[in-house]
Amino acid sequence: MRIGSMIVLMWIFFIPSSLKAAGTVYSPLKVGDKIPDISLGKMINYKHNTAKFSDFKGKIVILDFWATWCGGCVKALPDLGRMQEKFGDKIVIIPVSEKRSKDDEKGVLDFLKKHQLPMLPNVVEDEVLQQLFPHFLLPHDVWIDEEGTVVAMTSAKEVNEENISALLAKRPLTMKVKKDNLDFSIVEPLLLDGNGGNTTRALYSAVLTERIDGIGGGNSYLPGDAKKGNFFMFQNADMYQMFFVPYIMRKNFCPFNGKRTMIDTGGVRKLINEEEFYQEDRPRYCFSLSLPDAVSDSLFFRKYLLEEVNRFFPYVAGFDTAVVPALVVSKTRHHKPESILAHGDGPRKIIRKDGAVVRIENGTFRDIIDLLGVYRDTPPLINDTGYEDQKITMDLFIPEQYNHAFSKPMDLSVIRGMLGKYGFAVTEVNDRPVEVLVISKRK
């Protein structure tokens, strides 16, 4: 099955720098520049529907560029609210939602209320401040002192009591400066025309480099077509991530799942554990692979990408079958085929709400199995329902706590509840062989 026109997984969220605001064009500001006394644009949670920088003269102003779909941004908002409460009228923290991020006024307000986040004065649908302070990664925080001078640009982590106190006391600032690589493209080969650096950083011709700062981490994929071949890029991935992606991307892409990955230590195989997979100090690499002609997604990931990745390390990965703990989905006597069989020949649709899949229309039971399998540490699901290629329509009723949380284990009772409504049973077994990814030491 083709994996859409483009799939991008990001661990640090980015804003495309190629999008430009309409209307007046402003030149970017740097540390040491004075802020022009312009309107901040449309505002919510403020006594007026707009403001100028001069309205906050004598106060430290911190602009926090964020988006509702940026997990790190949302996580930082409660801390920003606490800093505003602690320092009172000495500072003003203003979150900024950009128009290009697709967050409109109503969407931002509803999001803040729904998740009970601090109601700080918020600039919405911004097209001006993003020009003054261009950035690639979110969150992005701009510090302006009482005299209207830009003094720092940081991540939201630096907006803390120590740094605010230092600025108020006119002490030297020691906060970590945020540096974005504004010219980086996630859909061009690494190092081509300077994308991420020059050719002196190349470690392998197809192309492998050391870690590149300022571009975040993750991977992106462009399927091949009649005009171009398949293209894939890793951004700052470690060895295990580079092995695991060829396995998960050939199906429905999902985060690491140790229930389907084994380590072979001299002929003895065991399921990998999280501590072995997540090691922050492990070396990280960037890699891009571009084929001259298009091949199927499955062939690209199972053969070409895995073969290239297997060249780099003292370990190799491959596919095999093994008996591991699994979940078997089967019919019960309460199942009624008419409750799921689709009517008509409509297109396959996956309908999402708040980031979670809530309905599959004209899909297959394989879609259900794959989508439930994206949650971390979900055992392999085996389809014993008898439904293979028949078109089905089902509601998944995924609880809200699992929205945007594919890295969170889903409780077995939740899976049983969703499928049980349609007369399916979910049984734990330890005697069924399933396909797994095996990582072993190179011989």
Side-chain angles (χ1 to χ4, degrees), residues 242-436:
M242 294 176 80
F243 281 145
F244 197 67
V245 163
Y247 177 59
I248 60 178
M249 291 288 280
R250 66 186 178 82
K251 294 183 175 181
N252 266 325
F253 65 93
C254 61
F256 161 69
N257 193 319
K259 304 292 186 181
R260 301 185 184 99
T261 306
M262 306 190 82
I263 293 289
D264 187 325
T265 56
V268 178
R269 293 181 177 181
K270 66 173 184 176
L271 290 172
I272 195 171
N273 61 52
E274 275 193 61
E275 291 182 0
E276 290 173 307
F277 188 82
Y278 291 111
Q279 292 184 16
E280 292 297 327
D281 59 350
R282 189 181 291 131
R284 293 178 181 269
Y285 308 90
C286 293
F287 169 74
S288 68
L289 175 63
S290 180
L291 299 187
D293 300 303
V295 299
S296 69
D297 296 325
S298 179
L299 183 62
F300 180 81
F301 288 111
R302 290 184 70 106
K303 175 176 171 58
Y304 292 99
L305 184 60
L306 191 56
E307 283 181 355
E308 293 293 341
V309 172
N310 274 339
R311 301 179 198 275
F312 305 146
F313 305 108
Y315 292 85
V316 293
F319 303 107
D320 204 348
T321 57
V323 175
V324 298
L327 301 176
V328 173
V329 183
S330 58
K331 296 176 185 175
T332 70
R333 61 187 179 87
H334 302 292
H335 173 68
K336 297 179 180 180
E338 62 269 21
S339 67
I340 68 168
L341 289 176
H343 303 288
D345 296 319
R348 173 181 175 272
K349 292 182 181 178
I350 297 179
I351 301 171
R352 303 174 188 271
K353 181 179 181 182
D354 293 333
V357 177
V358 295
R359 184 177 178 84
I360 292 180
E361 293 182 357
N362 296 309
T364 66
F365 209 84
R366 178 75 256 172
D367 293 324
I368 302 294
I369 295 293
D370 286 347
L371 288 166
L372 291 179
V374 305
Y375 291 89
R376 193 178 78 192
D377 290 342
T378 300
L381 287 138
I382 299 172
N383 180 14
D384 269 6
T385 64
Y387 290 107
E388 298 295 339
D389 299 323
Q390 301 96 319
K391 287 189 175 183
I392 64 170
T393 293
M394 289 178 63
D395 295 309
L396 292 185
F397 305 109
I398 295 178
E400 185 174 355
Q401 65 264 35
Y402 295 107
N403 292 5
H404 303 289
F406 289 154
S407 61
K408 178 179 180 180
M410 180 175 281
D411 192 86
L412 178 57
S413 64
V414 176
I415 297 176
R416 283 174 167 159
M418 285 188 285
L419 297 180
K421 299 187 71 166
Y422 293 97
F424 295 112
V426 181
T427 307
E428 296 178 271
V429 297
N430 291 285
D431 59 354
R432 298 285 290 270
V434 298
E435 187 180 46
V436 295

Side-chain angles (χ1 to χ4, degrees), residues 29-62:
L29 298 179
K30 60 184 183 299
V31 172
D33 287 344
K34 286 286 187 180
I35 291 289
D37 191 23
I38 60 174
S39 170
L40 276 67
K42 187 188 297 185
M43 297 185 70
I44 58 174
N45 305 329
Y46 186 62
K47 59 186 177 181
H48 304 298
N49 59 11
T50 190
K52 289 186 175 183
F53 280 109
S54 58
D55 296 336
F56 308 110
K57 188 175 181 179
K59 300 180 181 182
I60 291 173
V61 175
I62 300 175

